[in-house]
Amino acid sequence: MSESTLFTKIIEGEIPGEFVYRDEHCVAIRDIDPQAPIHILVIPIKPLVGIQGAGPEDQALLGHLMLTARKIAESEGLRSGYRLVLNSGAEGGQAVPHLHIHILGGRQMNWPPG
């Protein structure tokens, strides 16, 4: 990914974000347009365009993102359940071309989602 995305600018401190977690591999911020009472984005520091841009060398990072999402959901008190969403491409609803996982909770999630 050659150009800086909104998420890269937030990670680098150029744009403010409400951080709830940070480690050497990822950050987590509260979504500015929440779709549930709790809506947090887990974003890798490595600028992957999306899951469609991930390769075999990203396997450990992808696992880290999922386990981090679980840890954050637990720390936010989402013990009754929550939803993890990873959109891929424009038709999949991906608005920012930087891989991120949505943690949604605090209300009953319905199915089908879209």
Side-chain angles (χ1 to χ4, degrees):
M1 196 162 55
S2 59
E3 68 181 58
S4 187
T5 68
L6 171 68
F7 293 155
T8 303
K9 291 175 182 175
I10 293 171
I11 291 166
E12 294 174 353
E14 295 174 35
I15 297 174
E18 187 180 342
F19 289 86
V20 297
Y21 182 86
R22 179 184 285 267
D23 66 23
E24 65 275 11
H25 303 292
C26 66
V27 300
I29 59 172
R30 295 202 186 275
D31 195 294
I32 62 168
D33 184 25
Q35 302 301 303
I38 296 174
H39 188 168
I40 296 171
L41 306 176
V42 181
I43 308 163
I45 293 171
K46 180 180 180 180
L48 293 168
V49 70
I51 192 69
Q52 66 274 25
E57 68 278 7
D58 298 309
Q59 182 173 342
L61 174 61
L62 296 173
H64 179 77
L65 295 174
M66 295 297 286
L67 293 175
T68 298
R70 184 198 72 196
K71 181 176 13 176
I72 293 166
E74 290 171 357
S75 73
E76 291 286 322
L78 298 175
R79 288 169 183 59
S80 297
Y82 52 92
R83 180 170 288 165
L84 299 179
V85 176
L86 197 156
N87 299 319
S88 179
E91 285 191 23
Q94 185 178 4
V96 178
H98 189 134
L99 184 123
H100 56 288
I101 298 171
H102 297 258
I103 303 169
L104 298 152
R107 68 170 171 81
Q108 179 63 52
M109 297 290 137
N110 297 311
W111 197 262

